[in-house]
Amino acid sequence: MGHQHTRSAPAHYRCVGVGVGPANLSLASLLHGQPDLPNLFIDRKESFTWHDGQQMPGSSLQVSMLKDLVSLADPSNPFSFLSYLHDQGRVYHFLNARFDDVPRLEFRNYLAWASRRNENLAFGETVLEVGFDDVFTVRTDRRTVTADNVVLGVGSEPWLPGHVGDRLGPTQFHIAQFMTLAQNLAGKRVVVVGGGQSGAEAVLDLISRPAGDLPRRVSWISRRRNYFPIDDSPFTNDYYMPSYADYFYGLRREVREEFNTRHILTSDGISESTLRDIYQRIYVHRFIDGNPDLVGLHPNREVTSVAAGPYGGWQVSTRHNDEPDAAELFEADVVIWATGFRPARTDFLAPIAGRLERDGDELRIDEDYAVQWDGPSDRRIFVQNAARGQRGLADPNLSLIAWRSRRIADRLCGVRSDEQLASFIEWSTKVAPGAQSRWSA
């Protein structure tokens, strides 16, 4: 059962959040303890979860532990990762462990700890609709409340190609269900589709199992030309600074789209440690343990269809990107789709959907993540984690959640916090059109 704090709260709030993932949990942490800004955050889950189905043993964050809920916006905030370690009595143990990267399960436990300490969160409650009549009306399956502002933080949901259809089940599933369904695979043929970090972690887990639990074969298929590492170099990481997020927001839409496509490996590449572990495991299986057929690596291929096999299992058809007329067929007992996530649906906005402006598939936002609409300027719907096309590759991940939450909190409070220094890189030109640069000879 989830925790539901009971309190005599007003029916009207300055801010109501829909969804309690890391994004809205960050905002709730920054707003906590502000009596002049009553807030409530609602989530349909019974208790806090964060990619619980993907918590493979040994998996770790791809970002710094400082990119927690609050530290980069308010280092003294009691909801920081360091506060969590101190509260649990293991801050020295964590230091002594010298993790190269924070274990993902530890970070998940930190997030759950933060959720338990905040009485403004309500779990096990589903928002049914959001309407507007001078104030926002938020109707759930338990009650109706009103709010001056609403913050959407409903997170993401698994994405699957259309040809998967209605075939999902125990032998064909999304990576989000890995920890539940990827069990008892000894002696079976497994196909993993997807060349990002999630696909890599699935492959590593499968080929690291004890000899008696190993699959018969693990085939790893990816559209990418190889299994590419994440670009985590210093200047590339400037893409994940607030100043670049603001610069990106001002670019033309076609430029933003081209950037997100070209630089996807800055957010969706594979950790070098994971790649090294996979390569070493393949070496051991092939050359030391005498199991050369355990792993099949098949990059640069597009899955075109999946059909039931004539003798059970599945037949996965692919097309090679360099040889489009050459089709390949993979026999599988289990197919695991590591094909990523997309922003979750917001059907509860139906009563006001026609009043909200859109930018392609996204709600159009302003510089403070408020949706542009035809309502009063002091009544806002804010969007968290669903503006990748307008705010860049950092929007769906942890890098800027504290800064984004601070930007929203400032708007709610009518203030503007001091920003950190801009990037070393001058992203935009300082020369007027037609003028000569001061660097010219």
Side-chain angles (χ1 to χ4, degrees):
M1 294 294 293
H3 67 282
Q4 174 67 54
H5 302 283
T6 53
R7 60 194 179 101
S8 55
H12 181 77
Y13 299 87
R14 285 283 304 283
C15 171
V16 168
V18 183
V20 184
N24 263 355
L25 183 57
S26 169
L27 179 60
S29 299
L30 291 176
L31 296 179
H32 187 264
Q34 296 192 30
D36 57 340
L37 211 158
N39 58 89
L40 173 69
F41 291 79
I42 303 169
D43 197 291
R44 64 184 178 183
K45 299 188 299 291
E46 289 299 319
S47 60
F48 183 86
T49 63
W50 183 61
H51 298 303
D52 286 13
Q54 293 179 243
Q55 298 290 351
M56 292 85 153
S59 60
S60 58
L61 290 184
Q62 290 184 297
V63 298
S64 166
M65 70 175 188
L66 294 178
K67 293 182 176 182
D68 62 15
L69 296 172
V70 294
S71 290
L72 294 185
D74 179 9
S76 64
N77 192 288
F79 288 93
S80 70
F81 182 70
L82 184 59
S83 295
Y84 157 74
L85 292 175
H86 185 273
D87 179 74
Q88 299 298 297
R90 56 175 181 259
V91 65
Y92 288 100
H93 306 81
F94 183 85
L95 291 175
N96 291 344
R98 297 189 179 183
F99 291 110
D100 291 332
D101 300 291
V102 178
R104 190 181 299 159
L105 188 56
E106 175 75 317
F107 200 77
R108 181 259 179 227
N109 292 340
Y110 152 65
L111 296 174
W113 166 87
S115 75
R116 292 191 297 271
R117 292 168 64 88
N118 194 328
E119 70 278 4
N120 297 323
L121 311 183
F123 289 95
E125 185 172 353
T126 301
V127 173
L128 302 177
E129 66 176 20
V130 175
F132 184 81
D133 184 9
D134 293 329
V135 293
F136 292 104
T137 301
V138 181
R139 185 170 67 86
T140 79
D141 56 355
R142 292 188 177 186
R143 54 180 161 170
T144 297
V145 299
T146 59
D148 296 327
N149 303 275
V150 172
V151 184
L152 308 181
V154 293
S156 57
E157 57 191 9
W159 182 87
L160 291 156
H163 53 68
V164 175
D166 58 356
R167 299 185 179 95
L168 294 179
T171 62
Q172 188 171 178
F173 52 88
H174 191 269
I175 191 72
Q177 297 177 285
F178 186 88
M179 294 302 294
T180 302
L181 298 180
Q183 308 300 323
N184 304 315
L185 298 181
K188 295 184 178 181
R189 301 160 299 175
V190 182
V191 168
V192 177
V193 182
Q197 180 70 16
S198 296
E201 290 177 352
V203 169
L204 179 58
D205 180 271
L206 293 169
I207 66 177
S208 300
R209 297 182 177 188
D213 295 330
L214 280 173
R216 171 180 157 192
R217 183 169 177 82
V218 178
S219 301
W220 187 11
I221 300 173
S222 172
R223 289 186 299 182
R224 296 174 183 172
R225 288 186 172 272
N226 205 334
Y227 305 102
F228 291 115
I230 189 170
D231 185 351
D232 194 31
S233 55
F235 288 106
T236 296
N237 276 326
D238 273 41
Y239 292 149
Y240 295 82
M241 289 179 63
S243 57
Y244 189 81
D246 282 337
Y247 167 74
F248 185 92
Y249 173 77
L251 297 175
R252 301 190 313 276
R253 181 177 174 185
E254 59 270 23
V255 175
R256 300 196 307 260
E257 290 175 349
E258 192 273 339
F259 176 92
N260 283 345
T261 300
R262 180 185 295 269
H263 297 285
I264 186 65
L265 291 177
T266 66
S267 68
D268 195 36
I270 304 169
S271 297
E272 289 198 24
S273 60
T274 304
L275 290 171
R276 183 171 57 252
D277 288 344
I278 292 173
Y279 202 98
Q280 291 176 353
R281 291 307 307 165
I282 295 174
Y283 183 98
V284 170
H285 285 302
R286 180 166 297 193
F287 299 129
I288 300 177
D289 295 341
N291 189 1
D293 297 324
L294 175 63
V295 183
L297 302 176
H298 308 278
N300 206 20
R301 290 157 171 87
E302 183 88 29
V303 175
T304 56
S305 67
V306 178
Y311 307 107
W314 304 100
Q315 290 185 328
V316 181
S317 299
T318 69
R319 180 182 63 248
H320 197 285
N321 292 330
D322 292 338
E323 308 168 54
D325 295 330
E328 291 177 289
L329 194 65
F330 296 84
E331 301 286 346
D333 300 301
V334 174
V335 180
I336 302 172
W337 295 94
T339 45
F341 297 80
R342 298 292 186 274
R345 296 174 61 89
T346 54
D347 295 338
F348 52 84
L349 292 177
I352 58 174
R355 306 182 63 179
L356 310 177
E357 296 184 23
R358 303 197 67 86
D359 186 297
D361 294 333
E362 299 175 351
L363 292 171
R364 186 186 302 277
I365 59 172
D366 65 15
E367 66 277 6
D368 294 329
Y369 294 86
V371 178
Q372 299 186 24
W373 74 314
D374 65 0
S377 60
D378 60 345
R379 301 288 185 264
R380 291 294 184 184
I381 296 179
F382 295 90
V383 173
Q384 299 242 50
N385 195 29
R388 180 177 178 270
Q390 299 169 80
R391 279 296 189 171
L393 295 167
D395 193 70
N397 68 26
L398 295 172
S399 291
L400 293 179
I401 63 168
W403 168 79
R404 182 178 57 202
S405 292
R406 170 55 65 194
R407 181 68 68 90
I408 295 172
D410 284 355
R411 183 73 167 267
L412 293 173
C413 298
V415 299
R416 176 54 64 91
S417 300
D418 292 336
E419 294 282 6
Q420 293 294 302
L421 296 176
S423 167
F424 293 150
I425 301 170
E426 295 192 24
W427 295 114
S428 58
T429 179
K430 300 299 189 295
V431 181
Q436 186 179 36
S437 169
R438 63 190 174 103
W439 306 116
S440 300

